[in-house]
Amino acid sequence: MKDLTMMIGSKRNGLGLAGLAFLVSALIGPAPVSADTITDKKDPAHQMVMTVGEMCGGCVKRITARFDSVDAVEKVVCSIEKKSVALVAKDGVKLSPKGIWEIMESIRKTPKKMITPDGTFTSKPKR
């Protein structure tokens, strides 16, 4: 509690600036991340972006849960609005376009388009 009091400030009639900023960030949360913003953060050789058909909150949960269990994937970002899934590979790892496509098929979210360091695919890659 003492730390929170220090963050809020010593004003008795209201919150200090730091306290206000803390509360705003706690209430609003982090800024939403899209497949577009993920591409700015990492070398394109470690990225893969897929466009899928319809996407809802349940799809996002299913996709995220499935790729969270893949050791080679560092980050998964889904965009319901853009109907896209972006994957970032861990450093030193190259994701297999065919393997990722098959994972998406297994959860019934076959990509319509997949952009990878190996090229752009509109059908299942051969490797």
Side-chain angles (χ1 to χ4, degrees):
M1 186 69 175
K2 185 177 179 181
D3 293 333
L4 182 58
T5 304
M6 290 182 69
M7 286 183 70
I8 293 174
S10 60
K11 291 185 177 182
R12 291 178 187 222
N13 60 351
L15 295 175
L17 203 51
L20 184 59
F22 172 77
L23 287 176
V24 168
S25 68
L27 291 172
I28 296 175
V33 179
S34 72
D36 292 337
T37 56
I38 199 170
T39 56
D40 296 337
K41 309 247 186 241
K42 193 95 169 166
D43 177 15
H46 294 287
Q47 300 172 17
M48 189 173 287
V49 179
M50 295 170 280
T51 305
V52 295
E54 293 301 312
M55 186 172 321
C56 65
C59 298
V60 170
K61 286 180 185 177
R62 200 167 64 238
I63 291 166
T64 303
R66 180 60 182 94
F67 284 109
D68 279 347
S69 68
V70 176
D71 289 335
V73 175
E74 179 180 313
K75 188 170 189 174
V76 181
V77 178
C78 297
S79 171
I80 293 173
E81 297 81 24
K82 295 184 179 189
K83 301 175 186 170
S84 66
V85 178
L87 303 175
V88 176
K90 290 184 178 175
D91 287 335
V93 176
K94 184 178 177 192
L95 297 175
S96 160
K98 181 180 179 185
I100 298 299
W101 191 285
E102 288 174 346
I103 289 172
M104 292 295 287
E105 284 180 330
S106 75
I107 55 177
R108 293 186 218 101
K109 294 307 293 178
T110 302
K112 298 207 178 284
K113 183 177 183 181
M114 175 188 275
I115 301 170
T116 75
D118 295 326
T120 300
F121 303 94
T122 55
S123 61
K124 188 177 188 175
K126 297 195 186 304
R127 53 183 182 97

